Amino acid sequence: MDFELWLNKLSDFLVTAGVPAEDAQMAALGLVFLSLTLLSLVLVILLLKRNLRTGKVRDDVASAEAVEATGTVAEDGLAEGAEQAEVEEAPVEGAEKPSAVPLVEEGAVSLFQRMQKGLAKTRSSLVGGVDALLGRHARFDDEFLEDLEELLITADFGMQTTQSLVQALTGRLEGIDPSQTDQLHAVLGEEIRARLKTCETDWPTPDSRPLVIMVVGVNGVGKTTTIGKLAKQFTDQGKKVVLGAGDTFRAAAAEQLEVWGARSGAEVVRHNEGSDPGAVAFDAARAAVSRNADVLILDTAGRLHTKVNLMEELKKVRRVVDREIPRAPHETLLVLDATTGQNALIQARMFRDAVDVSGIALTKLDGTAKGGIVVAISSQLDLPVRLIGVGEGVADLRPFDADEFVAALFANN
């Protein structure tokens, strides 16, 4: 009855508004129906928005938990953040702060202990996995070899290197007692060592100063940090160092390098953001020669190894430097992130073919259990690993020593 009364009042209102009396009742019903429909639609939209926000929060939490649990980021064939073609380690607000890296190490920790600590995750995964296999297998049969192959692949030795190791071990296991883990450790260590390409521990010695090191790599691998640590190490040796801020695309890249320069005592040559990297290389080379510097280290913008035009720009920088300093750069150092696993191998192959890479700096080795990537890069690409990062300190950027690496890998915890 109340609804009919309300409907009659609405009809009377419509009549006064000009609706014919015979159509007023139907118009009132239509208006009520339309209002209810619109109200229902608004409620549905509000509920959908709420569900979407709730789902996003759940996804973000799940993603964060997954990253925390695994220590890795999902890959699609490129390094983390690689789809941002020219943006390196972090944006302006989150730019990597060199001040967080200690320049003075605490305690009298030996270099070998530092290496051993940095390889703890890889040692636990590889050596611990081998010992677990020995506990499950009473003899070195086909099943043991299959499990060992799976373990090596999991440690990022790569399929090619893994098959080579397993094939070599097959012929050597007959004289080993399965109950003696040290025997298998020794044989596996020898085979790994045989696949590590060695290089001179010292940097190249050019006919005349300066030594020119060009640093390349994709986004987010730690090029600027590596350059800063290298600069500090060189200046600690009494060498005069000039840094060329060739990453002119990434916001605050030059400022970040200047902070490292101030902390290490190196001079920084830079241009405005967006300038031609070749022009920066030209001025940096001129400055290094005129100021009688011992070392010139050239930073470069983050590059996608799949972008031909960006690789061509790196070749241009090389040509510019070579015109000013004959046969420079004397070292083209490719920085790779060890935590990216087999993707680092892909990057190394592409950069080697494009810009004549002469050495590898493998960072963040302490943050991964897949240190086998060192062996994969060295054996499959015939490229020497010159530097490895096994911690955040300046001294934790270490010249790579194959014998020390194997010894630390199989050292007792």
Side-chain angles (χ1 to χ4, degrees), residues 4 47 59 220 232 293:
E4 290 181 2
L47 288 173
D59 291 343
K232 176 61 178 173

Side-chain angles (χ1 to χ4, degrees), residues 202-215:
D202 295 330
W203 294 94
T205 304
D207 295 334
S208 59
R209 291 182 296 180
L211 163 67
V212 181
I213 303 172
M214 180 176 173
V215 182

Side-chain angles (χ1 to χ4, degrees), residues 187-319:
V187 172
L188 181 57
E190 290 173 8
E191 293 297 334
I192 289 175
R193 174 63 184 86
R195 286 157 180 79
L196 289 171
K197 182 177 176 61
T198 58
C199 66
E200 295 294 332
T201 55
D202 295 330
W203 294 94
T205 304
D207 295 334
S208 59
R209 291 182 296 180
L211 163 67
V212 181
I213 303 172
M214 180 176 173
V215 182
V216 300
V218 301
N219 308 309
V221 295
K223 292 192 300 298
T224 306
T225 299
T226 298
I227 291 171
K229 291 180 179 181
L230 270 181
K232 176 61 178 173
Q233 292 178 8
F234 279 125
T235 56
D236 284 348
Q237 297 168 15
K239 299 183 183 297
K240 185 174 183 179
V241 180
V242 172
L243 305 179
D247 185 354
T248 58
F249 186 88
R250 181 170 65 93
E255 286 81 358
Q256 184 182 346
L257 195 65
E258 284 185 323
V259 173
W260 274 113
R263 288 171 59 78
S264 63
E267 184 174 349
V268 178
V269 176
R270 59 165 296 183
H271 285 190
N272 293 329
E273 184 179 325
S275 301
D276 178 14
V280 178
F282 175 84
D283 286 349
R286 284 286 182 93
V289 172
S290 65
R291 295 161 195 174
N292 202 26
D294 297 294
V295 182
L296 168 61
I297 307 177
L298 288 173
D299 191 11
T300 59
R303 288 294 189 269
L304 287 181
H305 50 290
T306 54
K307 298 295 184 182
V308 176
N309 60 321
L310 300 180
M311 287 297 195
E312 289 298 323
E313 189 173 274
L314 288 182
K315 295 179 183 179
K316 174 186 173 183
V317 171
R318 289 177 61 90
R319 293 193 299 269

